[in-house]
Amino acid sequence: DTAVSQTPKYLVTQMGNDKSIKCEQNLGHDTMYWYKQDSKKFLKIMFSYNNKELIINETVPNRFSPKSPDKAHLNLHINSLELGDSAVYFCASSHKRYRGPGTEAFFGQGTRLTVV
Amino acid sequence: QQPVQSPQAVILREGEDAVINCSSSKALYSVHWYRQKHGEAPVFLMILLKGGEQKGHDKISASFNEKKQQSSLYLTASQLSYSGTYFCGTEASLTGNQFYFGTGTSLTVIP
């Protein structure tokens, strides 16, 4: 069984379109994340959800919106896609220890988004 | 807030050793290390907690100097399978809302 799975693996779309990327984890973790990895391989955190509450929201355009129907799922919706949104998007999950550092994060296989 | 890693890239021959450094401008509670192979997702290697501990598994070990807000990853007797990009991840708070990945170090091991 795949621990963290995200779909689709590849997504090619035109500028201005709206798209979604889905993520599911079966590890029982209480924290899920979305990361963006650009062409220079920098991993930048976009969102973090802990028990369905947003706990990090970096300086991400509001065209990006995370949606978490339950703690096993964290989907990413992107409106009005722009060329600069092209990147690999990773979903991840971890178990956040109470009042302590988080445990290791498990990553999905990534979604390569190409905006043309 | 993003930790800085050095070197940016390194090429090794099989059997050689390497050190990758991770430096943060903030006081840290923990440091994580991940390896990402080309076209794949990052994979967890180890976590070091506040207290200046050192950890290792196989021939990869790491240290965490909380006073200097630095961590180092040591790869000894490198193997071809060690090739990839290594990222440190740092936590600056107990609430988990200040976790950032470092700038990455590309490691290539050649025969």
Side-chain angles (χ1 to χ4, degrees):
Chain A
D1 270 352
T2 304
V4 182
S5 60
Q6 55 182 106
T7 55
K9 190 171 182 181
Y10 300 97
L11 185 53
V12 181
T13 187
Q14 289 186 321
M15 278 176 56
N17 283 351
D18 303 337
K19 289 293 176 186
S20 295
I21 306 172
K22 295 186 175 181
C23 179
E24 176 182 2
Q25 56 98 0
N26 61 7
L27 297 167
H29 288 164
D30 53 14
T31 306
M32 295 183 72
Y33 313 82
W34 277 107
Y35 287 91
K36 178 181 179 181
Q37 187 169 44
D38 60 24
S39 56
K40 293 183 179 178
K41 292 214 159 192
F42 290 142
L43 269 168
K44 180 183 174 183
I45 190 165
M46 301 176 71
F47 302 102
S48 172
Y49 256 72
N50 178 264
N51 287 328
K52 296 180 66 176
E53 290 185 36
L54 183 66
I55 59 173
I56 299 177
N57 186 348
E58 295 293 307
T59 53
V60 173
N62 57 15
R63 298 181 294 103
F64 291 80
S65 56
K67 297 277 194 307
S68 180
D70 55 61
K71 78 172 191 177
H73 296 84
L74 183 65
N75 303 323
L76 183 66
H77 297 269
I78 316 169
N79 295 325
S80 304
L81 277 154
E82 300 177 358
L83 293 177
D85 297 333
S86 295
V88 179
Y89 292 83
F90 285 101
C91 173
S93 74
S94 73
H95 180 60
K96 180 73 181 75
R97 291 181 217 145
Y98 179 65
R99 292 190 62 76
T103 57
E104 61 269 27
F106 290 81
F107 284 78
Q109 78 274 29
T111 295
R112 182 172 294 277
L113 172 66
T114 304
V115 183
V116 298
Chain B
Q1 288 175 326
Q2 184 176 32
V4 177
Q5 291 182 229
S6 62
Q8 280 188 310
V10 59
I11 299 175
L12 300 173
R13 290 199 178 275
E14 266 188 294
E16 291 183 336
D17 302 340
V19 180
I20 299 172
N21 299 303
C22 173
S23 183
S24 172
S25 60
K26 293 194 163 202
L28 302 175
Y29 285 93
S30 73
V31 177
H32 302 217
W33 283 98
Y34 290 80
R35 176 171 60 207
Q36 182 181 28
K37 292 184 178 285
H38 182 70
E40 298 180 7
V43 173
F44 172 81
L45 292 176
M46 64 188 79
I47 180 173
L48 299 102
L49 304 179
K50 188 178 178 181
E53 66 174 323
Q54 187 153 352
K55 268 196 178 180
H57 66 83
D58 200 8
K59 292 177 181 156
I60 301 176
S61 62
S63 63
F64 175 24
N65 186 326
E66 64 198 76
K67 288 183 181 176
K68 292 186 177 180
Q69 295 152 203
Q70 291 175 346
S71 177
S72 295
L73 186 71
Y74 307 93
L75 300 102
T76 56
S78 58
Q79 305 167 18
L80 295 176
S81 61
Y82 286 2
S83 293
T85 302
Y86 288 78
F87 292 96
C88 65
T90 59
E91 281 190 285
S93 81
L94 285 174
T95 59
N97 62 349
Q98 292 194 48
F99 181 87
Y100 298 95
F101 277 105
T103 48
T105 296
S106 173
L107 182 87
T108 305
V109 181
I110 58 175

